[in-house]
Amino acid sequence: MNDAYVHGYDSRESVRLQDQAGTLVDLLHSDTSYPAGSIVLEAGCGVGAQTVTLARNSPGARILSVDLSADSVAEARRRVDATGLTNVQFRQADIFALPFAPESFDHVFVCFVLEHLSRPVEALAILKRLLKPGGTITVIEGDHGSAYFHPDSDAAHEAIRCQVELQRAAGGNALIGRQLYPLLVGAGFGAIRVSPRMVYVDSSRPEIVDGFTRKTFTAMIEGVRDSALAAGMVTAEVFDAGIRALYRTAEADGVFCYTFFKALGEKVRHG
Ligand SMILES: C[S@@+](CC[C@H](N)C(=O)[O-])C[C@H]1O[C@@H](n2cnc3c(N)ncnc32)[C@H](O)[C@@H]1O
């Protein structure tokens, strides 16, 4: 991989991805179900946080999940095996060098991966070649510019900015959600539909406060503390105050908002 993966591969990140997937299942997956007999490529499956839901929601489809990290693929395989699902196969592979013939898949699913790539349009174009004519791609990405909260805090925005800058320095784009439409157009997809999926969190839903505000978003920002300080992007005082302010939004009178973007595109048949 040329692009450093900003979140890293440690077990804390793996738990964060699981919490993220568990909390967001309905919001992100409720309208994704593939017909029986279809062959689906999940590109960048990570530790399988989305794979289990994909496989459950499309029991008659065959899913092939790939990731650059062999360790993540092994972990994803363990997780899927533990559920008893049998419609998923795994393979270690780089999106930019996939070992599949053109037009091998009916559908492609990509979640939280483009944000880490320096050449997202090229990746989408590669995935498009693997689709059969009439096949679809589903792409889900976040956008850290969409985070706003109460009580508001300049320090919290500074801490978030550090994450965005570090991801940019690693070749990625933490603000990519808003760009899904032009990216899919750039890769030649047609019939593109993008829908924003807003997570609104207040203390009337404690499981989302815990699963999203604390364990997903704030944990992710907290995870870049050492890198941000080492890069001289921020002082420890400001960063730590920002993290405290993000946790503060998880208290009884706090509110946290974040928007994911989900895009569907089609490899349009010609002639
Ligand atoms: C944030 S994780 C998302 C994993 C999973 N899709 C999910 O939603 O939980 C991003 C994943 O993309 C993978 N990745 C990054 N660049 C890749 C590439 N060039 N080819 C395949 N996978 C890649 C990383 O190894 C990582 O597992």
Side-chain angles (χ1 to χ4, degrees), residues 1-3 5 7-9 13 16-18 20-21 29 42-51 66-69 72 92-98 109-117 123 140:
M1 176 166 63
N2 294 325
D3 308 318
Y5 177 41
H7 300 322
Y9 288 106
E13 168 63 5
R16 190 188 72 80
L17 287 171
Q18 289 298 328
Q20 173 165 290
H29 284 272
E42 184 193 9
C45 63
V47 294
Q50 317 298 333
T51 315
V66 303
D67 197 279
L68 190 61
S69 158
S72 295
Q92 187 275 330
D94 184 343
I95 288 170
F96 293 98
L98 288 170
F109 181 88
V110 195
C111 185
F112 307 142
V113 176
L114 296 187
E115 61 167 314
H116 298 294
L117 306 180
I140 301 174

Side-chain angles (χ1 to χ4, degrees), residues 61-75:
R62 279 170 41 212
I63 296 162
L64 179 55
S65 297
V66 303
D67 197 279
L68 190 61
S69 158
D71 287 347
S72 295
V73 167
E75 174 65 15

Side-chain angles (χ1 to χ4, degrees), residues 24-40:
L24 303 174
V25 165
D26 283 348
L27 184 75
L28 300 182
H29 284 272
S30 58
D31 53 350
T32 298
S33 167
Y34 299 111
S38 54
I39 304 175
V40 181

Side-chain angles (χ1 to χ4, degrees), residues 4-192:
Y5 177 41
V6 72
H7 300 322
Y9 288 106
D10 64 9
S11 61
R12 184 171 147 161
E13 168 63 5
S14 162
V15 169
R16 190 188 72 80
L17 287 171
Q18 289 298 328
D19 282 331
Q20 173 165 290
T23 306
L24 303 174
V25 165
D26 283 348
L27 184 75
L28 300 182
H29 284 272
S30 58
D31 53 350
T32 298
S33 167
Y34 299 111
S38 54
I39 304 175
V40 181
L41 174 66
E42 184 193 9
C45 63
V47 294
Q50 317 298 333
T51 315
V52 171
T53 307
L54 273 184
R56 272 208 188 108
N57 289 352
S58 302
R62 279 170 41 212
I63 296 162
L64 179 55
S65 297
V66 303
D67 197 279
L68 190 61
S69 158
D71 287 347
S72 295
V73 167
E75 174 65 15
R77 184 181 281 122
R78 271 193 295 277
R79 285 177 194 276
V80 169
D81 285 351
T83 66
L85 290 159
T86 56
N87 56 335
V88 188
Q89 290 185 312
F90 290 97
R91 190 159 175 173
Q92 187 275 330
D94 184 343
I95 288 170
F96 293 98
L98 288 170
F100 309 120
E103 304 190 0
S104 296
F105 297 93
D106 298 292
H107 304 283
V108 172
F109 181 88
V110 195
C111 185
F112 307 142
V113 176
L114 296 187
E115 61 167 314
H116 298 294
L117 306 180
S118 59
R119 294 169 285 143
V121 173
E122 189 181 328
L124 289 169
I126 287 169
L127 294 170
K128 180 166 161 268
R129 279 199 288 282
L130 298 181
L131 275 173
K132 298 174 189 171
T136 70
I137 188 165
T138 298
V139 184
I140 301 174
E141 294 289 345
D143 188 319
H144 296 352
S146 73
Y148 55 95
F149 33 79
H150 172 78
D152 203 357
S153 154
D154 289 344
H157 289 292
E158 271 295 292
I160 294 167
R161 182 190 59 78
C162 291
Q163 206 283 339
V164 171
E165 291 299 324
L166 285 166
Q167 196 158 335
R168 183 175 295 140
N173 180 2
L175 310 177
I176 202 168
R178 70 190 73 176
Q179 292 180 28
L180 287 188
Y181 185 84
L183 290 172
L184 284 166
V185 169
F189 284 96
I192 303 163

